[in-house]
Every structure is written in C-alpha cells, then in structure tokens.
Amino acid sequence: MDFSKLNGLIPAVIQDADTSEVLMVGFMNAEALAETRRTGFATFFSRTRGVLWTKGETSGNRLQVVEALVDCDEDTLLLKVKPLGSGRVCHTGARSCFFRALPLL
Amino acid sequence: MDFSKLNGLIPAVIQDADTSEVLMVGFMNAEALAETRRTGFATFFSRTRGVLWTKGETSGNRLQVVEALVDCDEDTLLLKVKPLGSGRVCHTGARSCFFRALPLL
C-alpha cells in the first residue's frame, strides 16, 4: 500500500458485505492496517486523537472484515464487513454515517 | 463540508447507483465539489497534478451524480452515480478500481 499521499494515511471505505450499503470511511496508517489484518476487525487511526482505535472496542459494535480490496493505485482500501452487535455503525446511532443528503444545484 | 482535516480536501466515495458496487475513491476540494454540484458530473482534485479533473472528460466515461450523501461529521462524501459511456471507471479498463484482494493474515 502507498501511504505517502496523505502523510502516512490511506482512506478505508467500509461497506456492508451483505447489503452493499456504505457504512463509513475511516483512515488507517500502516499500523492500523496491520492490526486489521492480524485481528480481522477494522482498526483505524484517529486523526483527531492521534491513536489507533478498533471500531466498537467499547460499544461492541465491531466490524468483522469479510473481504479486503485494494484500488488500482494502491492508496485506498475497500473493506467488506459484517457489523457485529447492534449494527449501528455511526456514533449518532444510525446504521450508516451517510444519512444526510447534500442537495445538487 | 469540513475541508480542514486533509489540507483542503475531502474523500468522495463513488458508488454505482444501480448495483451498489464501489467504483473508486477520489478527492475533492471546495472548488471540485462546487463544480460537481453545478454540473451534476463528478469532478475531483488531482493530488498528483494539482488540478481539477472531471472524470471521463476525455474518455466520455463520465459519472452522472444521482444522489450525494454527507457523513455524520461532514468530512466525507458518498456519491451514487450512473457511469456513462463504456462504464469502465478504472483507468486500467476495469469496471471498478477495486479489483484486487488484499489477503487477511
């Protein structure tokens, strides 16, 4: 993977493996990606807190990775996941973080 | 939208509006987003070339935006699109840029 384009980070798109709904986008550094591959649960790098965090480590709503895909220029990941626990991936309580429409002009 | 977390850029996930396949991820600055909303076709900011580019402007394989969604903290976009032309979104000729598996450990 090419971590050079975003100061050591790559975006990781999280998609529900069953419904194909896009649930969230997180960022990973090399360590977060290694931890994700080692454990099979999505782990990100928090840009605001500067630490690794495994999604759901406190809520139990972890994201079990079913399949990982790399894009053509190796700077983005697509993770197909099975959401565990309540399945509410967003911290607002929504299933997906993408729940608001942006009007086109 | 919050463009402050990535030096003026936000990631935009491009998803096929019909099949739900994730096709690519691009980056937008405020100008690229405004152009996308104005024209209805996905326009990105090229991080390597430092210019705006409308996907498919030379190939004809433009991405017509059907729906735009903002994530909970307003730093990521999800665009549901109808791919025009050949429908081959990736520059390699693939339908999607995500065609290679990354093995989990």
Side-chain angles (χ1 to χ4, degrees):
Chain A
M1 299 295 303
D2 179 359
F3 289 94
S4 70
K5 290 183 184 168
L6 282 181
N7 303 319
L9 300 177
I10 54 171
V13 179
I14 306 298
Q15 185 178 32
D16 188 301
D18 289 327
T19 67
S20 294
E21 187 179 14
V22 174
L23 302 173
M24 62 171 286
V25 171
F27 286 84
M28 293 184 180
N29 59 7
E31 192 184 353
L33 175 57
E35 188 71 0
T36 298
R37 296 174 78 181
R38 189 180 69 79
T39 64
F41 292 97
T43 296
F44 303 99
F45 179 79
S46 167
R47 294 178 294 168
T48 46
R49 293 181 290 136
V51 294
L52 291 195
W53 61 286
T54 299
K55 176 74 189 163
E57 59 195 355
T58 52
S59 67
N61 299 338
R62 293 194 292 172
L63 301 170
Q64 187 170 8
V65 180
V66 175
E67 189 179 8
L69 295 163
V70 184
D71 80 332
C72 53
D73 49 4
E74 302 191 342
D75 58 12
T76 308
L77 272 183
L78 172 60
L79 299 183
K80 301 192 180 186
V81 306
K82 177 183 172 67
L84 304 186
S86 71
R88 296 177 182 278
V89 168
C90 184
H91 73 284
T92 62
R95 265 192 58 78
S96 162
C97 292
F98 296 96
F99 54 83
R100 273 180 302 178
L102 181 75
L104 297 171
L105 303 187
Chain B
M1 298 296 302
D2 179 359
F3 290 95
S4 69
K5 291 184 185 168
L6 283 181
N7 303 319
L9 300 177
I10 54 170
V13 179
I14 307 298
Q15 185 178 32
D16 189 300
D18 289 326
T19 67
S20 294
E21 187 178 13
V22 174
L23 302 173
M24 62 172 286
V25 171
F27 286 83
M28 293 185 180
N29 59 7
E31 191 183 355
L33 175 57
E35 188 71 2
T36 298
R37 295 174 78 181
R38 188 180 71 78
T39 64
F41 291 97
T43 297
F44 304 99
F45 179 78
S46 167
R47 294 179 293 169
T48 45
R49 291 182 292 137
V51 294
L52 292 195
W53 61 286
T54 299
K55 175 74 190 165
E57 60 195 354
T58 52
S59 68
N61 299 338
R62 293 194 293 172
L63 301 171
Q64 188 170 7
V65 180
V66 175
E67 188 181 9
L69 296 162
V70 184
D71 80 332
C72 52
D73 48 5
E74 301 190 343
D75 58 12
T76 308
L77 272 183
L78 172 61
L79 299 182
K80 300 192 181 186
V81 306
K82 177 182 170 67
L84 304 186
S86 71
R88 297 178 181 278
V89 169
C90 185
H91 74 285
T92 62
R95 265 193 56 78
S96 162
C97 292
F98 295 96
F99 55 82
R100 272 180 303 179
L102 181 74
L104 298 170
L105 302 189

